[in-house]
Amino acid sequence: MTKLGKTIQLKGISQKGKNRVREHGDRWTVLAETDHVLFAPNSQGPWLFIVPRGCDQDNKAGRWIKTTGDADFVVILLDGLDPQVES
């Protein structure tokens, strides 16, 4: 299922993740989705490019995260979907 345009909730699990949530909030918007990223060629996705809710793709807080197994975040899907925690 595509998550483009959907809102997700992030829960920080590392110090870096907790800081990012504290600085930019826990609601983020998905702008892109892919199975592979150039900076991690051996890490299978799905990967999501996200920005803080209400921001555009040029926002410096934008980042790529894995929907499962991300080192910094747990992803919770929102927007009318059954909340599903993926770790």
Side-chain angles (χ1 to χ4, degrees):
M1 170 185 277
T2 185
K3 296 171 187 68
L4 294 179
K6 301 290 186 194
T7 299
I8 61 171
Q9 181 179 2
L10 296 181
K11 178 181 175 190
I13 53 176
S14 68
Q15 192 61 47
K16 181 178 179 179
K18 291 175 185 177
N19 286 340
R20 188 67 56 145
V21 169
R22 186 179 64 250
E23 293 166 359
H24 302 287
D26 67 346
R27 298 292 198 269
W28 295 64
T29 302
V30 178
L31 297 183
E33 185 175 1
T34 187
D35 286 329
H36 298 85
V37 289
L38 294 176
F39 61 84
N42 296 325
S43 183
Q44 182 69 20
W47 288 87
L48 303 176
F49 182 73
I50 59 171
V51 294
R53 192 166 184 186
C55 296
D56 63 14
Q57 68 185 13
D58 296 326
N59 187 284
K60 293 185 189 242
R63 62 185 294 121
W64 285 99
I65 62 167
K66 286 185 72 170
T67 58
T68 57
D70 191 90
D72 298 315
F73 301 102
V74 171
V75 177
I76 302 168
L77 302 176
L78 302 175
D79 276 354
L81 301 173
D82 291 331
Q84 178 181 4
V85 177
E86 299 182 8
S87 57

